[in-house]
């Protein structure tokens, strides 16, 4: 383990998580009017529907897939699926979702850069965020051929072990990445960077998306008509 790996994969993850959580809380508390997706649909719809739908479907699948795939301990699924088969399943499903997400973000980035009206009304952070996500998805797809070279699931287990040790504050996390390719490491670094810039971009609207789940459990609301309730056969009084 060298000092650079320790800084990037032993210290940087905690910096990103701290900024992600504290920054999101402070922005919601101090600047709620900026808590929005800043959609450019009113400027021009065009390819937005295709790009947005492909991007969101792909990225949401990848987010939950990475979250549960990397943070679920091996003993919880080893009786149902082997590490090698889990890796193969992740490569196939993640590859499909990655292609969808990459196609979607490519459409969105091209739309934002090629349409002068949208580009003028875009913030610098909007464009940089799309570029960051474009590179991140491209790197994710680039890891698939590398994963195909070792289908025993060993590298996947090391990557998952790193993530699990980081979130549980255990030592020895960085050592698990000793044999990882630079493509994996760069993909992980940019993934953590997305969390770092999260509170300062339009990504904060993701919190609101998860917050809508609360609507499933709230009490029913009774809505009353504003019209006067009159017995049958009576007309409403006329205004003079």
């Amino acid at each position: 383990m060298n000092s650079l790996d320790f800084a990037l994969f032993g210290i940087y993850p905690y910096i990103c998580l701290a900024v992600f959580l504290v920054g999101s809380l402070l922005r919601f508390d101090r600047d709620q009017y900026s808590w929005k997706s800043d959609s450019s649909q009113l400027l021009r719809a065009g390819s937005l529907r295709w790009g947005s739908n492909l991007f969101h479907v792909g990225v949401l699948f990848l987010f939950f897939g990475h979250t549960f795939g990397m943070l679920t301990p091996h003993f919880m699924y080893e009786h149902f699926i082997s590490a090698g088969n889990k890796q193969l399943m992740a490569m196939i499903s993640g590859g499909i979702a990655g292609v969808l997400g990459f196609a979607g973000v490519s459409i969105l980035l091209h739309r934002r850069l090629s349409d002068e009206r949208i580009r003028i009304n875009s913030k610098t952070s909007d464009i940089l965020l799309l570029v960051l996500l474009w590179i991140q998805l491209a790197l994710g797809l680039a890891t698939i051929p590398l994963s195909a070279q070792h289908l025993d699931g060993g590298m996947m287990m090391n990557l998952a072990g790193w993530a699990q040790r980081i979130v549980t504050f255990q030592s020895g996390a960085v050592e698990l990445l000793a044999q990882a390719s630079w493509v994996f490491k760069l993909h992980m670094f940019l993934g953590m960077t997305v969390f770092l810039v999260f509170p300062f971009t339009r990504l904060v609207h993701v919190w609101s998306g998860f917050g809508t789940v609360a609507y499933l459990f709230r009490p029913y609301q009774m809505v009353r008509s504003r019209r006067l309730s009159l017995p049958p056969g009576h007309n409403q009084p006329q205004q003079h």
Side-chain angles (χ1 to χ4, degrees), residues 69-72 86 155-165:
M70 297 189 70
L71 298 182
T72 304
K86 180 189 175 186
M155 180 55 65
M156 181 197 68
M157 295 296 296
N158 287 341
L159 297 175
W162 169 83
Q164 293 167 25
R165 293 193 181 196

Side-chain angles (χ1 to χ4, degrees), residues 168-222:
T168 55
F169 302 98
Q170 297 182 46
S171 61
V174 181
E175 288 79 357
L176 294 174
L177 303 180
Q179 303 300 321
S181 166
W182 67 269
V183 179
F184 283 105
K185 291 182 177 180
L186 184 56
H187 181 58
M188 294 165 64
F189 174 77
L190 290 184
M192 293 183 287
T193 303
V194 171
F195 284 91
L196 181 70
V197 303
F198 185 99
F200 312 105
T201 65
R202 62 170 61 196
L203 284 177
V204 291
H205 78 279
V206 175
W207 282 118
S208 300
F210 288 122
T212 57
V213 178
Y215 281 90
L216 300 176
F217 306 99
R218 73 174 186 177
Y220 288 105
Q221 293 182 337
M222 182 176 295

Side-chain angles (χ1 to χ4, degrees), residues 20-91:
F20 167 67
L21 295 173
V22 177
S24 297
L25 180 62
L26 290 176
R27 181 168 177 181
F28 182 77
D29 181 62
R30 297 176 177 272
D31 199 11
Q32 293 187 17
Y33 286 108
S34 69
W35 193 279
K36 54 185 178 179
S37 63
D38 279 333
S39 174
S40 58
Q41 183 176 3
L42 292 178
L43 297 177
R44 197 181 310 279
S47 57
L48 177 63
R49 179 177 299 177
W50 273 105
S52 180
N53 287 338
L54 288 172
F55 172 74
H56 283 88
V57 169
V59 167
L60 285 175
F61 183 92
L62 292 172
F63 173 77
F64 288 109
H66 279 69
T67 300
F68 290 104
M70 297 189 70
L71 298 182
T72 304
H74 179 61
F75 72 86
M76 295 185 65
Y77 61 82
E78 62 180 342
H79 299 294
F80 307 98
I81 185 173
S82 66
N85 288 335
K86 180 189 175 186
Q87 175 178 317
L88 185 61
M89 181 178 66
M91 290 169 56

Side-chain angles (χ1 to χ4, degrees), residues 111-139:
R111 172 180 176 273
R112 193 165 289 275
L113 293 177
S114 63
D115 192 307
E116 183 178 2
R117 187 182 182 193
I118 298 176
R119 186 175 67 253
I120 292 175
N121 288 276
S122 297
K123 300 176 183 177
T124 302
S125 61
D126 296 336
I127 298 175
L128 292 179
L129 178 61
L130 286 175
V131 171
L132 175 62
L133 293 173
W134 190 91
I135 297 174
Q136 174 67 348
L137 287 168
L139 284 171

